[in-house]
Amino acid sequence: MENTNNSNQLDHKTLTKSFHRWFWGALTCFSQEHMQTFGYMASMLPILKKLYPKHEDQVKAIKAYTAFFNTNPMLGTVIVGITASMEQARANGKEIDGETINDMRAGLMGPIAGIGDSLIDGTLIPILLGISLGMSSGGSPLGAIFYIVAWVLIAYFGQRFLYFRGYRFGDQAVSFLVGKQGAAIRRAIGVVGSMVVGGVLASWVNVTTSLKLRGTDGKVFLNLQNKLDSIYPGILTVIVTLFCWWLMTKKHVSAIWTMLILVVISLIGVLIGVFNPGLSY
Amino acid sequence: MTISWIQAAILGLFACLCSNSCMAGQAVGNYTIGRPLVGGLICGLILGNIQLGIACGVAMQLVYIALVTPGGTVSADVRAISYIGIPLAMVAISSQGLNPLGGSAANLAKSVGTLVGTVGTVLYYAVATMNLVWQSFGWKDVHNGKLDKLTAVNFGWPWISHAIFSFLPTMLFTYYGATAVTALRNALPMDGVAMMTLFTVGGMLPCVGIAILLRQIIGKAVDFIPFLVGFTLAASLHLNLVSVTVISLLFAVIMYEVEMAKESGPHDGLTSEGPTDDNEEDI
């Protein structure tokens, strides 16, 4: 508080150490009660040690990070970077206390979690997986290797970028994500997500019926699957998907119960001859 | 195909690395080693049949394409899907004598994988609950000012939670499960109602995964249109996914411009040229 010597500046090495601790340990000691709190404390430790030479100051400072924390661990990196820069400002005597830091963290973790889940889990991962699945057809390891390399590079350097951007711009760093422009970008990326998910469904899932109606002479006069394909290819796949979506979204049925309902539908379908995978040893 | 104790133990180690509260970091553990596609490659290497492993991984990846864990709640946990489900599916497929690349092998893999998916949820909550013990050590350390011990709390002690609730269950399930799966072959004929239902369900299960994704990205009825456009491009025009993605980028740019034009007020001075592409690559 009284001095402005070198110990109150964070160097690149300390920041990198802090980032690595978040990258490898954000959720390692996860519990339902405190969620990412311990991952956060562990990654702030190098920062506090660098900024506060006195042990009692370090102990005082870590109290701010004992508060509950949970967000999307990928985009959440930016929040860790922001706190590093706020902590540095506090160590240099700026009017920032633990409460200010906590307000910022609490205010950001909700929106960042929502954006991160739809952006990373809902859009980026399905695109990467969709491409990789195509490369893996025929049992080739190529797709899996492509996914490993592409995702790990994006995740490591993307999170590193977010951490240092958070550190450099402080709490202005997120205006890009949660501001007006951020909302427009999110809507635009939502379009990419929806279209790719539709493409993944059409490329990889194929629900078909084996129902064939025969006349008295034994000739097939109705092949339901061919009829449906001539109306809209893959229509059964879309119907089953929308049915699952409707159950989960409108009827609030859990994913496990939705799967059990599919089991019942399949059983009835097999018994009345609508479904038949046509297998034998 | 059988699974030896050593193979079962290696599968258990990977299960420790990749769960949601993982020992290998979120990005590398849960999001890389844990994805069934990658798990298929690793299981294939461990069990000595890469082609079959990948085929099972691809099939199961479709069911679990949406592994979103909002607020730390999971519907299924990757450690069981990838490191119990895939090995057992591989045993089942090879003992049934199915062509690993055929559609019926894939549908069997999906059904087996989903059966063990619920096991993963139990293991996930068990690990998270046991971590409370190490966290209580951590609170004491913070209280007493022993900050250096926090590193052990975050990176060391959780290994014990995983040894009990990831390593042991995975090892036992894969070792003994493989024997059970082989024995089932005689009990369930392929053209019986049970197996036919199992294969039919396997074909439908990915619809649930896709529906979970849709729940994330669809807010109102018009949002279904881009989804159906993407489906039509692939189903009717037979475009591959890279092409669908490129076309979707065009719509995204148009959408961005429309949204920004609506907001006539000044916005924070970042460039408006191609931000969608930039943003996507940065993250």
Side-chain angles (χ1 to χ4, degrees):
Chain A
M1 317 283 166
E2 70 278 1
N3 53 1
T4 46
N5 60 28
N6 270 347
S7 71
N8 283 359
Q9 281 303 317
L10 292 169
D11 54 64
H12 195 264
K13 204 177 136 199
T14 312
L15 290 167
T16 307
K17 193 175 177 192
S18 162
F19 161 69
H20 279 155
R21 282 182 166 216
W22 178 260
F23 183 79
W24 292 106
L27 278 154
T28 302
C29 195
F30 178 89
S31 79
Q32 292 292 323
E33 193 181 350
H34 304 292
M35 296 197 166
Q36 298 162 353
T37 308
F38 276 83
Y40 210 119
M41 280 200 271
S43 56
M44 285 310 287
L45 212 53
I47 305 271
L48 299 181
K49 286 205 164 164
K50 184 78 185 171
L51 289 174
Y52 304 105
K54 278 198 228 140
H55 182 256
E56 63 256 41
D57 289 341
Q58 294 172 11
V59 177
K60 215 184 287 170
I62 199 128
K63 293 274 151 67
Y65 302 96
T66 55
F68 171 83
F69 190 78
N70 189 44
T71 190
N72 178 285
M74 311 291 161
L75 292 196
T77 317
V78 76
I79 307 180
V80 189
I82 293 168
T83 36
S85 82
M86 287 175 87
E87 196 63 61
Q88 178 180 299
R90 166 155 84 152
N92 284 315
K94 284 258 174 63
E95 294 279 314
I96 295 172
D97 54 10
E99 210 169 307
T100 316
I101 293 178
N102 258 321
D103 286 348
M104 184 280 300
R105 297 197 320 156
L108 283 181
M109 64 189 189
I112 295 272
I115 299 167
D117 284 350
S118 58
L119 216 63
I120 310 276
D121 301 76
T123 309
L124 180 62
I125 297 272
I127 292 175
L128 278 180
L129 284 175
I131 295 168
S132 312
L133 286 170
M135 295 162 83
S136 273
S137 54
S140 155
L142 197 66
I145 292 165
F146 167 78
Y147 176 81
I148 295 169
V149 173
W151 164 251
V152 171
L153 288 180
I154 292 172
Y156 181 80
F157 289 102
Q159 287 196 56
R160 210 188 152 93
F161 169 82
L162 282 175
Y163 184 96
F164 281 95
R165 195 174 182 119
Y167 172 69
R168 216 171 309 130
F169 295 101
D171 46 6
Q172 293 161 340
V174 276
S175 64
F176 175 70
L177 280 170
V178 295
K180 274 181 187 173
Q181 195 188 22
I185 290 173
R186 284 209 306 285
R187 280 199 57 99
I189 288 178
V191 172
V192 178
S194 308
M195 281 184 70
V196 169
V197 168
V200 168
L201 184 68
S203 313
W204 291 100
V205 188
N206 193 16
V207 180
T208 53
T209 172
S210 59
L211 188 71
K212 290 188 179 84
L213 293 183
R214 290 168 198 277
T216 42
D217 54 348
K219 269 195 194 153
V220 176
F221 69 86
L222 176 72
N223 184 329
L224 188 59
Q225 186 59 45
N226 288 354
K227 266 277 178 298
L228 291 175
D229 280 343
S230 67
I231 299 167
Y232 181 65
I235 188 166
L236 273 185
T237 313
V238 172
I239 289 172
V240 174
T241 307
L242 294 186
F243 174 67
C244 296
W245 176 85
W246 176 79
L247 279 179
M248 288 191 285
T249 313
K250 301 288 173 193
K251 296 283 153 193
H252 305 288
V253 179
S254 72
I256 301 215
W257 276 104
T258 307
M259 289 177 177
L260 287 176
I261 291 170
L262 290 185
V263 172
V264 174
I265 293 174
S266 305
L267 178 66
I268 296 169
V270 165
L271 289 175
I272 63 175
V274 176
F275 301 121
N276 182 0
L279 294 168
S280 58
Y281 285 120
Chain B
M1 181 181 276
T2 52
I3 294 175
S4 72
W5 278 116
I6 291 175
Q7 287 169 327
I10 300 172
L11 292 169
L13 184 67
F14 273 98
C16 295
L17 293 173
C18 78
S19 67
N20 195 42
S21 48
C22 45
M23 298 307 299
Q26 268 283 294
V28 174
N30 191 41
Y31 281 81
T32 308
I33 304 170
R35 297 293 124 162
L37 178 68
V38 177
L41 174 64
I42 294 171
C43 291
L45 287 169
I46 295 171
L47 300 180
N49 189 342
I50 293 179
Q51 197 189 35
L52 178 58
I54 293 277
C56 291
V58 166
M60 267 182 225
Q61 184 61 71
L62 287 164
V63 182
Y64 295 104
I65 197 151
L67 274 167
V68 189
T69 52
T73 54
V74 289
S75 54
D77 192 85
V78 288
R79 103 195 76 188
I81 299 158
S82 295
Y83 294 101
I84 301 175
I86 293 179
L88 291 186
M90 289 171 71
V91 172
I93 288 166
S94 55
S95 79
Q96 304 278 36
L98 296 171
N99 170 18
L101 302 178
S104 44
N107 289 349
L108 181 59
K110 288 171 206 162
S111 289
V112 173
T114 317
L115 282 175
V116 301
T118 40
V119 175
T121 316
V122 176
L123 299 177
Y124 165 77
Y125 285 111
V127 169
T129 307
M130 194 169 189
N131 280 344
L132 280 171
V133 177
W134 324 128
Q135 294 188 343
S136 76
F137 293 1
W139 293 127
K140 241 177 246 156
D141 293 334
V142 170
H143 191 255
N144 297 331
K146 292 175 186 160
L147 298 184
D148 287 327
K149 290 197 170 170
L150 279 180
T151 308
V153 168
N154 198 52
F155 292 97
W157 293 113
W159 274 107
I160 297 178
S161 315
H162 278 285
I164 297 172
F165 292 115
S166 296
F167 180 79
L168 280 180
T170 306
M171 188 167 72
L172 297 175
F173 267 112
T174 47
Y175 183 80
Y176 290 110
T179 324
V181 164
T182 313
L184 266 181
R185 181 196 190 281
N186 301 321
L188 297 172
M190 201 70 117
D191 47 359
V193 172
M195 285 309 257
M196 274 164 69
T197 305
L198 204 60
F199 282 97
T200 306
V201 173
M204 287 186 190
L205 283 174
C207 296
V208 181
I210 300 282
I212 294 174
L213 262 185
L214 287 179
R215 202 168 49 166
Q216 285 285 317
I217 51 187
I218 285 183
K220 49 187 185 300
V222 271
D223 294 343
F224 274 116
I225 294 173
F227 165 73
L228 289 173
V229 171
F231 185 88
T232 311
L233 288 175
S236 304
L237 301 177
H238 305 291
L239 294 187
N240 70 16
L241 274 160
V242 180
S243 314
V244 174
T245 309
V246 170
I247 293 175
S248 73
L249 285 174
L250 170 73
F251 285 100
V253 171
I254 296 170
M255 178 63 105
Y256 176 80
E257 296 294 343
V258 170
E259 289 283 319
M260 290 310 281
K262 269 199 281 184
E263 312 282 357
S264 48
H267 53 81
D268 37 12
L270 290 150
T271 61
S272 61
E273 277 151 24
T276 13
D277 307 54
D278 290 348
N279 191 32
E280 204 177 310
E281 270 150 25
D282 289 345
I283 296 154

